[in-house]
Amino acid sequence: MTPKPPRIAPPEFGAPMEAAHPSEAARRLLALRRSASADRMTEPGPDDETLDAILEMAARVPDHRKIVPFRFIVFSRAARVRLGDVIAERFVAANPDATHERIEAERRKLLRAPVVVAVVACIDSAHKTPAWEQELTNGAVCLNLLLAASAYGFGANWLTEWHSYDERVMNALGLKGAERLSGFVYIGTPTEKPRERQRPQMAEIVSRM
Ligand SMILES: Cc1cc2nc3c(=O)[nH]c(=O)nc-3n(C[C@H](O)[C@H](O)[C@H](O)COP(=O)(O)O)c2cc1C
């Protein structure tokens, strides 16, 4: 078995740091990053210690005025089973004619990967930092989570799906007030390699002034 990579401890507050980290491995990760499908994941996922390191990396994002407008929920299997029942119940309420197979697929949704993390946006719309910027920070957290999982050798998938917009499902998750779901990030070992998808034509999205 390959030894577990050691945790890279964050420096003490105020410690001198490198402003850049030139690295062929990091360039490859960024140039070739691809989501793994949550529908095609299996064991193993990161163990608790590795997941803590991944979350620490994910939380290391640009954040205007350092207000930390996000939090993580890490689910146990039992919690995912409980939440799956709520998802199935809400699915049936919205789709009374759904087949048994379809309902059971909804119930098992959160069991598709060995590890599932919810990224919760805790946006303070009264704060001096605009809500838009707090939302952007949430996007950065989710992407960082995908990148960190990949750097540890796991596949990851950022999904919202309909249930992230269902109030009762979100209540069951313990979301309060203005909290919203930035996404569920599924982490595990891909059972098959993804293929490249279409990417933006750079000439269409890059202009120079
Ligand atoms: C906020 C957000 C929510 C997403 N939700 C879904 C989803 O519900 N279902 C889905 O198939 N893909 C969803 N995606 C897209 C996938 O995460 C993934 O990015 C996409 O399949 C493209 O693959 P790539 O990450 O390899 O570029 C979402 C992406 C974002 C940014």
Side-chain angles (χ1 to χ4, degrees):
M1 227 169 79
T2 42
K4 199 151 63 167
R7 170 172 173 261
I8 302 166
E12 293 293 316
F13 175 70
M17 294 189 63
E18 301 297 333
H21 298 268
S23 146
E24 174 71 20
R27 286 193 293 275
R28 285 187 66 80
L29 170 57
L30 294 171
L32 304 175
R33 183 204 64 79
R34 180 77 170 94
S35 293
S37 170
D39 293 329
R40 288 180 283 280
M41 268 186 209
T42 188
E43 300 281 351
D47 60 19
D48 289 350
E49 196 188 338
T50 304
L51 183 60
D52 284 348
I54 289 172
L55 294 179
E56 197 166 51
M57 290 174 172
R60 202 177 172 87
V61 284
D63 171 8
H64 194 176
R65 299 195 176 89
K66 301 181 276 290
I67 55 179
V68 196
F70 58 89
R71 64 184 179 93
F72 300 110
I73 303 173
V74 179
F75 297 102
S76 66
R77 192 178 166 86
R80 286 189 273 155
V81 169
R82 276 199 307 276
L83 211 54
D85 288 341
V86 180
I87 291 174
E89 191 185 301
R90 295 293 292 154
F91 182 74
V92 173
N95 305 276
D97 299 330
T99 63
H100 177 73
E101 285 72 30
R102 190 73 179 76
I103 297 164
E104 292 313 298
E106 291 293 331
R107 196 185 306 282
R108 287 193 306 271
K109 251 184 179 165
L110 296 175
L111 299 172
R112 285 175 288 184
V115 169
V116 183
V117 176
V119 178
V120 179
C122 322
I123 308 296
D124 178 356
S125 49
H127 199 279
K128 197 173 167 190
T129 298
W132 165 238
E133 297 189 9
Q134 300 179 46
E135 288 164 15
L136 292 173
T137 287
N138 270 267
V141 170
C142 294
L143 177 60
N144 245 12
L145 189 41
L146 300 181
L147 293 169
S150 179
Y152 272 96
F154 298 100
N157 199 184
W158 172 7
L159 301 178
T160 44
E161 303 177 303
W162 67 267
H163 55 266
S164 294
Y165 298 95
D166 185 280
E167 204 179 322
R168 296 238 190 112
V169 175
M170 291 304 105
N171 287 345
L173 211 64
L175 264 57
K176 300 208 170 52
E179 286 188 336
R180 279 160 65 194
L181 230 281
S182 296
F184 288 92
V185 178
Y186 294 75
I187 308 173
T189 300
T191 54
E192 63 185 60
K193 289 188 176 185
R195 291 183 179 276
E196 176 61 324
R197 69 163 172 89
Q198 281 200 317
R199 296 290 166 185
Q201 297 299 313
M202 298 311 294
E204 289 174 11
I205 58 167
V206 179
S207 60
R208 291 187 163 79
M209 292 180 75

